[in-house]
Amino acid sequence: MQGNLPTRAIMNGQVALELIEGDITVQATDAIVNAANSSLLGGGGVDGAIHRAAGPDLLRETRQLGGCQTGDAKMTRGYKLPARYVIHAVGPIYQYADPGVATLLASAYRRSLELATEQQLNSIAFPSISTGAYGYPLAEAASVALRTVIEYGREHARPALIRFVLFNQSILQEYQQVLLGFLQKNWVDPA
Ligand code: AR6
């Protein structure tokens, strides 16, 4: 706990959800998720940081993938990263009053988790997809992100650790507020 705000929860008695402040490129989870664009050829923000830290072999591999639809995800190796794999997820560009954006954002998280389950990974780290260059309002995005991973974690034993790595204190606090609300509704259990 940080103040009165939670940093952890448990789903289904076995899957841990963690919220931390930090840089996703240094995470030693089995996979880290990249907030990519549909070209999968790199960019700014967390995408640029992941490509820089992984080295040029990552771009060589993503060039072979033929891009990725919004709401979908594709997996590569992690190269120089501590994480063995990178899951490149493409979130939506936010458009006010378009209900489709929430579905696409949820899908980007769910597809990433499905790839992790298929590869039998134990741990995965997510950034706050779509909330930088793609302009998704943070509180709404945090609600979609946490609801989606909680629903998934209740039904799947793996990955057993789902970590959100939030880039600064105010992003972390926004996610913590949403998690507090879900704990109060008993959608997840305290840890
Ligand atoms: N670790 C964790 N989070 C980070 C890091 C990091 N090293 N760096 C930035 N963030 P963004 P998007 C946070 O813009 O909105 C790229 O150009 C950042 O503070 O990276 O999905 C892609 O190529 C924010 O909270 O991703 C696409 O074209 C969050 O990561 C486009 O941007 C997401 O911000 C994708 O936009």
Side-chain angles (χ1 to χ4, degrees), residues 59-81:
L59 183 59
R60 266 192 274 283
E61 186 173 355
T62 59
R63 275 208 193 102
Q64 310 304 313
L65 297 178
C68 181
Q69 303 254 317
T70 303
D72 200 0
K74 292 190 178 177
M75 187 181 287
T76 66
R77 291 166 56 194
Y79 300 98
K80 291 182 180 166
L81 292 164

Side-chain angles (χ1 to χ4, degrees), residues 21-27 33-52 89-93 105 126-136 138 164-168 171 175:
E21 181 185 351
D23 176 354
I24 202 160
T25 64
V26 302
Q27 298 298 312
V33 176
N34 183 14
N37 60 63
S38 53
S39 78
L40 298 185
L41 299 179
V46 70
D47 195 3
I50 287 172
H51 275 271
R52 276 194 299 280
V90 182
I93 298 172
L105 184 61
F126 283 101
S128 179
I129 298 171
S130 284
T131 61
Y134 280 1
Y136 211 119
L138 192 55
F164 279 83
V165 182
L166 290 329
F167 208 39
N168 62 45
I171 304 170
Y175 274 72

Side-chain angles (χ1 to χ4, degrees), residues 91-167:
I93 298 172
Y94 184 75
Q95 291 182 63
Y96 180 70
D98 176 359
V101 290
T103 306
L104 288 168
L105 184 61
S107 176
Y109 282 99
R110 194 173 316 106
R111 285 293 302 132
S112 299
L113 289 164
E114 286 170 358
L115 290 175
T117 303
E118 277 166 35
Q119 285 293 316
Q120 304 195 317
L121 304 186
N122 274 318
S123 56
I124 185 170
F126 283 101
S128 179
I129 298 171
S130 284
T131 61
Y134 280 1
Y136 211 119
L138 192 55
E140 285 177 44
S143 176
V144 171
L146 289 176
R147 190 176 339 111
T148 304
V149 306
I150 288 167
E151 280 170 7
Y152 194 89
R154 286 162 137 187
E155 291 171 0
H156 299 83
R158 278 189 178 179
L161 171 63
I162 302 172
R163 178 181 292 158
F164 279 83
V165 182
L166 290 329
F167 208 39

